[in-house]
């Protein structure tokens, strides 16, 4: 019994990493700023005591506040990527333009681990304070999976009167891990039903919840070739065979996944699932599609009779839930922004997040905004600048904004950035289960 408990604890650490540490840290060194930052700030890079590379920018006209950035992904490299944080600074240089100091971690390793990434984000905040002094106010920003990471930072480290004053979550994967990837579970099994090439009948077989067998040497290019072979997704419609077109139509209709992001969703359901299952959960299955009724194909009866089914290992599901699900127990202002037609993190993730906060009776700390954009990672700089201004005013004055007031204030920022304001202040997403087929025994939002 003691050995099994120790093993389970080790697996949780493998997923989540260790807690934020105050170990001796090397000092950051001066570095060239990305071109988008230029000479508006002094930039620094370094590697923290856990091995996470980071980048910092301090504006020459600093407003005294800090934005700590949590990046998306997760990237699947073995170690920390020294270029990732520099690229993120380049992408979100609008925050430096607005006078905020910016700090972003590349995390200590690649692969899944929401609590690990949250700890590395908090470690960087502490490092910034040690090097540059305590900011007047500190905000955490997360994009995509980084939205999940930043939301976890808020819950674990963002206590009232704590180190964080507010959070901006953009394009966030806010349904967590236990339910947030169900549409990719569905894609994995539906794809294999039609295509039968991942694995091929001549290759070693494995349960599809593994994503990919641990020892496979399949590359992303190889996966794309198989997707093309089955569906012709990269070809013009007139160049596809009738079977390719039917396979593509059936897969897209049944899974509700947009054609333009089919490849990226399949890649996640293959390679990131392998990382989650093999590297983080000790080859235990956290996914479930028992009882799911697939519909919309040319022959639903045959699909449902033969598609692969599996049930989650309750311990694996618990561990993934602990790592990445959100309790809704937040104590600081949180503002979200999400494109209504986000093809990667569907806007219904926001409904799941609101349900979590409502279940914890903390919805007073949340304002959600939505835009008519159709992108995941490239939202308008005018909107990012406007969102931070609205969040900062909420923190400073205690007056909670509304979606309408946030939308109304954007025009003044668009004069500076010219990238457009696309808010839809009356929009409210449908429940998560309206987009993603519910499981037989869904995890509760808690």
């Amino acid at each position: 019994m003691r050995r099994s408990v120790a093993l389970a604890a080790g697996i949780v650490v493998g997923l989540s990493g260790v807690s934020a540490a105050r170990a001796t840290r090397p000092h950051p060194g001066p570095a060239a700023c990305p071109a988008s930052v230029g000479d508006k700030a002094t930039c620094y890079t370094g590697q923290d005591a856990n091995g996470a590379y980071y980048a910092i920018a301090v504006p020459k006209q600093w407003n005294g506040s800090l934005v700590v950035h949590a990046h998306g992904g997760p990237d699947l490299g073995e170690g920390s990527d020294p270029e990732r944080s520099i690229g993120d600074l380049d992408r979100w240089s609008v925050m430096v333009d607005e006078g905020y100091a910016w700090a972003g971690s590349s995390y200590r390793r690649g692969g899944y681990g929401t609590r690990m990434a949250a700890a590395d984000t908090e470690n960087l905040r502490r490092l910034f304070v040690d090097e540059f002094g305590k900011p007047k106010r500190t905000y955490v920003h997360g994009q995509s999976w980084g939205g999940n990471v930043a939301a976890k930072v808020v819950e674990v480290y963002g206590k009232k009167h704590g180190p964080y004053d507010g959070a901006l979550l953009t394009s966030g994967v806010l349904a967590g891990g236990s339910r947030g990837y169900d549409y990719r579970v569905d894609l994995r099994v539906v794809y294999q039903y039609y295509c039968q090439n991942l694995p091929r009948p001549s290759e070693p077989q494995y349960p599809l919840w593994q994503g990919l067998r641990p020892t496979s040497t399949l590359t992303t290019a190889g996966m794309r070739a198989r997707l093309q072979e089955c569906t012709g997704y990269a070809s013009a419609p007139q160049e596809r065979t009738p079977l390719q077109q039917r396979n593509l139509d059936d897969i897209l209709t049944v899974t509700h996944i947009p054609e333009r992001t089919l490849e990226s969703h399949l890649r996640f359901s293959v390679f990131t699932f392998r990382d989650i299952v093999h590297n983080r959960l000790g080859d235990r299955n956290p996914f479930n599609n028992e009882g799911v009724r697939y519909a919309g194909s040319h022959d639903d009866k045959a699909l449902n009779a033969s598609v692969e089914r599996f049930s989650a290992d309750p311990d694996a599901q618990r561990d993934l839930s602990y790592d990445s699900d959100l309790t809704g127990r937040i104590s600081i202002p949180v503002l979200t922004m999400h494109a209504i037609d986000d093809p990667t993190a569907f806007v219904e993730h926001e409904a799941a997040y609101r349900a979590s906060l409502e279940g914890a009776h903390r919805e007073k700390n949340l304002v959600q905004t939505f835009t008519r954009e159709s992108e995941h990672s490239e939202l308008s700089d005018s909107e990012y600048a406007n969102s931070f201004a609205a969040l900062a005013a909420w923190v400073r004055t205690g007056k909670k904004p509304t979606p309408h007031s946030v939308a109304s204030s954007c025009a003044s920022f668009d004069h500076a950035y010219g990238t457009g304001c696309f808010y839809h202040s009356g929009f409210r997403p449908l429940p998560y289960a309206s987009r993603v087929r519910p499981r037989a025994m869904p995890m509760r939002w808690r």
Side-chain angles (χ1 to χ4, degrees):
M1 176 65 74
R2 289 179 180 176
R3 183 180 182 278
S4 64
V5 170
L7 177 61
I11 291 169
V12 173
V13 170
L15 223 174
S16 305
V18 299
S19 61
R22 293 188 180 275
T24 302
R25 308 178 182 91
H27 294 286
C33 293
S36 59
V37 175
D39 62 359
K40 291 174 287 192
T42 304
C43 294
Y44 306 85
T45 58
Q47 190 174 21
D48 74 12
N50 293 316
Y53 287 99
Y54 60 83
I56 293 171
V58 181
K60 293 179 180 176
Q61 296 185 11
W62 183 23
N63 64 14
S65 293
L66 168 67
V67 174
V68 185
H69 172 77
H71 77 69
D75 301 332
L76 294 181
E78 286 292 324
S80 183
D81 178 4
E83 300 301 320
R84 177 64 198 244
S85 53
I86 296 293
D88 288 339
L89 172 56
D90 184 41
R91 171 64 189 87
W92 281 282
S93 60
V94 61
M95 299 174 189
V96 178
D97 291 341
E98 289 299 302
Y100 295 93
W102 187 96
S105 171
S106 295
Y107 313 145
R108 71 191 69 177
R109 61 159 172 78
Y112 202 82
T114 305
R115 285 180 178 264
M116 173 208 71
D120 288 341
T121 302
E122 166 61 6
N123 283 338
L124 181 55
R125 183 202 65 80
R126 294 177 182 180
L127 185 150
F128 183 95
V129 172
D130 289 346
E131 294 291 333
F132 302 100
K134 183 178 180 181
K136 182 165 54 177
R137 295 183 183 89
T138 300
Y139 305 97
V140 60
H141 168 246
Q143 174 97 9
S144 188
W145 178 60
N148 189 193
V149 174
K152 186 65 73 172
V153 169
V154 170
E155 293 188 355
V156 176
Y157 306 106
K159 307 304 181 186
K160 193 172 183 179
H161 307 303
Y164 295 93
D165 297 284
L168 175 64
L169 312 178
T170 56
S171 307
V173 180
L174 299 175
S178 70
R179 287 294 316 280
Y181 304 127
D182 281 349
Y183 48 95
R184 288 164 172 161
V185 172
D186 294 338
L187 172 61
R188 189 68 183 87
V189 298
V190 170
Y191 174 86
Q192 183 64 7
Y193 170 80
Y194 289 110
C195 298
Q196 293 296 305
N197 66 6
L198 200 56
R200 300 184 191 279
S202 59
E203 294 175 328
Q205 302 298 294
Y206 53 88
L208 296 179
W209 51 261
Q210 288 185 343
L212 188 66
R213 62 187 175 88
T215 58
S216 173
T217 59
L218 183 73
T219 64
T220 55
M223 187 214 75
R224 291 189 191 102
R226 297 187 189 206
L227 176 59
Q228 173 68 11
E229 169 192 294
C230 176
T231 68
Y233 83 105
S235 301
Q238 64 271 20
E239 296 174 353
R240 297 169 186 151
T241 68
L243 180 58
Q244 285 177 327
Q245 188 63 60
R246 192 178 77 173
N247 287 341
L248 182 61
D249 290 343
D250 279 347
I251 290 168
L252 297 177
T253 302
V254 170
T255 63
H256 300 163
I257 286 175
E259 183 173 346
R260 62 193 171 115
T261 51
L262 174 62
E263 183 273 334
S264 63
H265 283 293
L266 184 62
R267 181 165 18 100
F268 193 106
S269 75
V270 173
F271 297 103
T272 306
F273 276 17
R274 176 171 66 175
D275 177 72
I276 292 172
V277 170
H278 179 64
N279 296 331
R280 315 303 161 199
L281 290 172
D283 296 307
R284 297 173 301 152
N285 173 27
F287 304 122
N288 167 48
N289 73 333
E290 287 288 353
V292 175
R293 170 72 183 173
Y294 297 109
S297 72
H298 76 277
D299 188 343
D300 290 346
K301 182 177 180 180
L303 170 62
N304 283 284
S306 299
V307 72
E308 184 171 323
R309 304 280 182 176
F310 39 78
S311 296
D313 176 328
D315 289 342
Q317 193 175 41
R318 176 206 62 209
D319 290 347
L320 183 59
S321 175
Y322 171 77
D323 180 71
S324 58
D325 283 357
L326 299 168
T327 67
R329 292 192 286 273
I330 65 172
S331 303
I332 61 175
V334 174
L335 177 67
T336 74
M337 179 171 67
H338 214 121
I340 294 169
D341 195 27
D342 186 330
T344 299
F346 303 144
V347 73
E348 288 81 7
H349 276 270
E350 297 284 344
Y353 189 54
R354 174 167 286 278
S356 297
L357 269 67
E358 289 173 345
H361 307 290
R362 301 293 177 89
E363 64 271 23
K364 68 179 181 180
N365 294 321
L366 176 67
V367 173
Q368 293 176 301
T369 64
F370 302 94
T371 76
R372 292 183 172 89
E373 291 159 290
S374 57
E375 298 302 323
H376 176 63
S377 299
E378 299 290 334
L379 303 182
S380 166
D381 279 353
S382 302
E383 294 167 348
Y384 282 114
N386 179 55
S387 294
F388 260 107
L391 177 63
W394 183 7
V395 168
R396 186 177 65 254
T397 67
K399 183 179 179 180
K400 183 178 179 180
T402 66
H404 180 74
S405 70
V406 175
S408 298
S409 63
C410 185
S412 62
F413 293 94
D414 201 40
H415 287 311
Y417 295 102
T419 54
C421 297
F422 306 99
Y423 290 99
H424 184 344
S425 56
F427 180 80
R428 187 180 179 102
L430 294 173
Y432 186 73
S434 70
R435 181 66 177 263
V436 181
R437 289 181 170 84
R439 309 293 102 165
M441 293 187 297
M443 296 286 289
R444 295 177 58 192
W445 303 117
R446 62 189 189 281

